Amino acid sequence: MTDGNNRPQGFATRAIHLGYDPMDENGALTQPIYLTSTYAFESAEAGGELFRGERKGYIYGRNRNPTQALLEERMASLEGAEAGLALASGMGAISALCWTLLEAGDEVVIDHTLYGNTFALFTKGLPKFGVTVTPVDLTNLETLDSALSSATKLVFFETPANPNLRVIDIAAVAARAQAKGALTVVDNTFCTPALQRPIEQDADLVIHSATKYLGGHGDLLAGVICGEHDTVHQIRQHGLRYLTGATISPLTAFLVMRGLKTLELRMERHSDSALAVAKMLQDHPAVASVEHPWLDDFAQADAARRQMSRGGGLVSFELHGGYDAGMAFMNGVDLITRAVSLGDAETLVQHPASMTHATYTPEERAAHGISEGLIRMSVGLENIADILQDIDAALDAAMASRAAAE
Ligand code: 3LM
């Protein structure tokens, strides 16, 4: 989309306006919601033409609906992709993608730190159907080289990774995958296209849990896939239509679009507040280690600064006293909420080893860099002084309980 002078419109403008003219819908400022499940055919022949893809239009709400279509168009534009597909959840997006693009005998390389259920899909789900999955540390490109083979179809990773925020160099991985004929798939949930656009770094496909920052208000579940037109079309026609049926409801698609209108603003605030939290933790005597991609001593700081425009809203840390101190901290928060998920207005804190990453065995967590004492915080949009004060009080509580135990 361009303005009158052919200048491409900016991110927030496209997030708010792209693909919709109120004058087409009785002047309605925001787009109406089509709750319709099935669509009338102009003639018997037109129905057949629609099914054969010879005519443009809608057939049935499982694979396409006008409200979903507007969200898909906006997400594709924001990610710099040819096409988008909206689905019922992040897991719905990942499973539709895998079930469409993989078959028995194929190989997949994954980063060894993924959201717990994504890890379970790859390591427990897909092997049941004859797909070989190799987890590697993708921050070490030599391990990627040794895992890739001519049978590798996908290289899949999150960056920053859930829950320890390791950053993976998208362009470097994509170059190696491409040389072997494999597709690079990036889960961009933690950054959103407001902070990072993997397709500009040569990734082939981007997936999202839109449940998180894209929706932004903890009131929906949704997923998105963006990428090249033919591949996305194939995932719609196979993965969504008859393999998973993981359709996003039109009402949910509307709510994700409402979230997109403030996405750029929210990601700036989440990132600034998370960095303030990370710096405060770094200076506190109760804290053993802190991860945030914008900290000066972050392990993959170079890659982070190259491919992200800000550090994002997540902070991971470990307290002196490990698991017990972490539990005392979590029980000591007041304003901050103990809950999984992320990207909401509320600051949320959770314990990956017993919650989001409980699908890993203790041995897998140890081998994959998810320590038992790690705490993950999704820094929300509350006043930063209030967030810092609550953290300070909870750290005091954690130190007091540690002193009492000694
Ligand atoms: C969580 N994560 O708390 P849905 N990709 C990433 C994710 O973080 C998630 C998904 C995909 C969390 C959810 S845990 C019980 C709650 C990077 C989800 C899956 O299917 O929309 O939840 O997305 O880390």
Side-chain angles (χ1 to χ4, degrees):
M1 217 181 174
T2 55
D3 68 4
N5 301 317
N6 264 356
R7 184 181 60 82
Q9 289 192 324
F11 186 93
T13 310
R14 285 176 286 133
I16 294 167
H17 291 283
L18 185 106
Y20 181 68
D21 181 349
M23 290 310 141
D24 294 340
E25 298 285 357
N26 303 307
L29 177 66
T30 54
Q31 68 286 357
I33 304 171
Y34 285 80
L35 287 172
T36 316
S37 54
T38 198
Y39 292 82
F41 307 137
E42 202 175 290
S43 66
E45 292 76 12
E49 286 164 17
L50 277 161
F51 268 83
R52 288 192 298 277
E54 294 162 8
R55 174 190 276 257
K56 269 192 147 22
Y58 296 96
I59 300 173
Y60 187 63
R62 191 184 323 105
N63 41 336
R64 224 170 127 71
N65 152 300
T67 314
Q68 297 157 3
L70 186 58
L71 168 61
E72 290 165 351
E73 190 183 347
R74 286 196 181 157
M75 277 306 300
S77 169
L78 298 180
E79 283 288 3
E82 283 178 19
L85 175 61
L87 303 101
S89 67
M91 290 312 300
I94 302 168
S95 56
L97 183 148
C98 288
W99 288 19
T100 304
L101 300 180
L102 297 172
E103 57 189 44
D106 286 345
E107 294 180 11
V108 175
V109 177
I110 57 171
D111 181 53
H112 72 177
T113 326
L114 294 174
Y115 165 56
N117 287 320
T118 309
F119 183 74
L121 166 69
F122 279 112
T123 58
K124 296 193 176 77
L126 291 179
K128 285 199 341 188
F129 301 96
V131 176
T132 303
V133 179
T134 311
V136 299
D137 175 0
L138 284 180
T139 61
N140 177 349
L141 293 170
E142 281 165 24
T143 63
L144 171 61
D145 288 336
S146 53
L148 285 169
S149 85
S150 56
T152 310
K153 289 284 159 38
L154 300 180
V155 178
F156 186 104
F157 58 95
E158 300 165 357
T159 181
N162 188 354
N164 51 23
L165 308 180
R166 292 161 52 258
V167 163
I168 291 158
D169 184 334
I170 301 170
V173 171
R176 284 167 171 77
Q178 208 169 47
K180 288 283 183 187
L183 295 177
T184 300
V185 186
V186 178
D187 182 331
N188 200 24
T189 298
F190 276 26
C191 275
T192 83
L195 303 185
Q196 169 175 276
R197 288 177 291 281
I199 288 171
E200 291 175 0
Q201 307 285 324
D202 289 338
D204 297 290
L205 290 160
V206 172
I207 78 103
H208 283 279
S209 169
T211 315
K212 317 299 186 225
Y213 292 108
L214 298 180
H217 296 77
D219 53 9
L220 61 87
L221 278 122
V224 173
I225 300 173
C226 292
E228 176 262 331
H229 179 272
D230 287 353
T231 313
V232 173
H233 182 70
Q234 203 190 347
I235 298 169
R236 184 193 303 281
Q237 291 302 343
H238 301 248
L240 174 59
R241 185 166 148 225
Y242 59 69
L243 291 169
T244 68
T247 303
I248 188 172
S249 94
L251 180 60
T252 304
F254 175 90
L255 287 174
V256 177
M257 282 190 275
R258 187 165 73 173
L260 290 185
K261 292 184 183 186
T262 54
L263 180 67
E264 191 176 50
L265 268 177
R266 288 186 287 108
M267 292 314 291
E268 288 175 13
R269 175 70 170 264
H270 281 297
S271 298
D272 291 352
S273 293
L275 183 56
V277 166
K279 286 184 171 162
M280 180 256 202
L281 289 169
Q282 212 168 33
D283 292 340
H284 199 285
V287 178
S289 60
V290 189
E291 302 297 340
H292 183 268
W294 245 233
L295 287 176
D296 290 338
D297 63 354
F298 182 69
Q300 296 91 33
D302 289 349
R305 301 264 168 180
R306 225 175 16 251
Q307 64 196 25
M308 297 163 67
S309 57
R310 285 176 194 249
L314 276 297
V315 179
S316 293
F317 58 97
E318 188 148 4
L319 301 183
H320 292 298
Y323 174 87
D324 292 338
M327 290 288 132
F329 173 84
M330 281 182 56
N331 286 325
V333 294
D334 179 25
L335 171 71
I336 296 170
T337 308
R338 288 174 291 276
V340 295
S341 204
L342 55 110
D344 298 338
E346 295 80 3
T347 298
L348 306 177
V349 68
Q350 67 107 10
H351 175 238
S354 64
M355 298 174 187
T356 54
H357 292 69
T359 51
Y360 285 68
T361 62
E363 295 73 29
E364 283 168 340
R365 281 196 295 274
H368 297 199
I370 305 164
S371 66
E372 299 298 306
L374 194 73
I375 301 294
R376 189 193 75 189
M377 189 179 288
S378 170
V379 180
L381 301 174
E382 302 96 335
N383 178 288
I384 185 61
D386 294 331
I387 299 173
L388 294 176
Q389 188 182 323
D390 201 43
I391 294 173
D392 200 41
L395 289 172
D396 284 349
M399 288 209 298
S401 91
R402 200 172 163 227
E406 275 169 7

